Amino acid sequence: RLIQTIMAATMMNKNVVLSKVCTKPAATPKISSNKRGFAITIANKNREMMVWQPFNNKMFETFSFLPPLTDEQISKQVDYILTNSWTPCLEFAASDQAYAGNENCIRMGPVASTYQDNRYWTMWKLPMFGCTDGSQVLSEIQACTKAFPDAYIRLVCFDANRQVQISGFLVHRPPSATDYKLPADRQV
């Protein structure tokens, strides 16, 4: 939303005051207008065209491009989940089964073209229907991590009204995991 506001203000040639605590970026992008009068940004040459690294560049669900979340950040996400009346639930999977793949599924023409194995992880206990705050989820994360230290653990949430999973994100990576890379390292 912030980027949209800045772009809209730039196109209308208006100044935008973000906040006194915002810092100025290291290199301010140059703004010029095209033939039709729309503002365009000229990016830095080194970031102009990046190619996504296709090899050994695995990611998980929401927030997997970020560094591992702290307990405080996880607790805030749980608060958001509970505010929306969703039900949190923990799932875990061994390192070799954590990523979705289609290497071992039987192909029968285009019928199974989008089938992926390992989509479902083992559930840690039951969904936390009576959960009221983030500390309850954090204690379950600690218990799951203690029981399965070499497993990936993710927090998912379900919407009982729509009968769907709303979100899912990692809350624990095994100590042996080498999958996390900075976004800049995921590009060529």
Side-chain angles (χ1 to χ4, degrees):
R1 186 171 289 269
L2 177 62
I3 293 171
Q4 292 171 343
T5 304
I6 293 170
M7 290 179 67
T10 304
M11 285 195 272
M12 293 185 291
N13 293 326
K14 292 186 177 180
N15 293 329
V16 178
V17 177
L18 299 176
S19 172
K20 291 182 180 180
V21 295
C22 288
T23 59
K24 188 175 180 180
T28 307
K30 296 179 183 178
I31 298 177
S32 63
S33 37
N34 64 9
K35 293 178 183 178
R36 290 186 259 165
F38 290 104
I40 57 173
T41 303
I42 302 170
N44 296 335
K45 289 289 182 188
N46 61 345
R47 302 294 290 172
E48 206 168 289
M49 296 292 284
M50 299 300 289
V51 177
W52 189 252
Q53 173 60 265
F55 305 108
N56 197 22
N57 195 9
K58 298 176 179 178
M59 293 228 281
F60 288 94
E61 297 148 344
T62 314
F63 306 135
S64 64
F65 61 94
L66 295 174
L69 299 176
T70 64
D71 286 350
E72 182 182 346
Q73 292 169 327
I74 293 170
S75 183
K76 286 182 181 181
Q77 293 301 320
V78 172
D79 291 342
Y80 178 77
I81 289 168
L82 297 174
T83 300
N84 286 290
S85 301
W86 300 331
T87 304
C89 178
L90 290 178
E91 297 177 338
F92 63 97
S95 297
D96 60 336
Q97 297 176 350
Y99 290 103
N102 61 5
E103 294 80 23
N104 61 351
C105 67
I106 300 170
R107 300 281 178 207
M108 297 183 180
V111 176
S113 64
T114 59
Y115 177 78
Q116 302 287 317
D117 285 333
N118 301 334
R119 292 172 292 170
Y120 302 106
W121 293 10
T122 304
M123 189 181 298
W124 173 256
K125 300 185 179 180
L126 293 174
M128 296 176 238
F129 295 110
C131 181
T132 56
D133 67 355
S135 64
Q136 294 169 325
V137 175
L138 290 174
S139 66
E140 288 299 324
I141 291 170
Q142 290 172 356
C144 187
T145 302
K146 185 177 179 183
F148 302 100
D150 294 326
Y152 284 92
I153 302 171
R154 70 180 174 193
L155 174 66
V156 295
C157 63
F158 299 97
D159 185 343
N161 294 328
R162 291 187 271 176
Q163 298 288 307
V164 295
Q165 178 180 324
I166 298 295
S167 179
F169 56 93
L170 285 181
V171 293
H172 173 76
R173 286 181 169 91
S176 61
T178 58
D179 57 355
Y180 175 72
K181 297 178 186 174
L182 292 169
D185 296 337
R186 295 178 178 271
Q187 307 172 60
V188 179

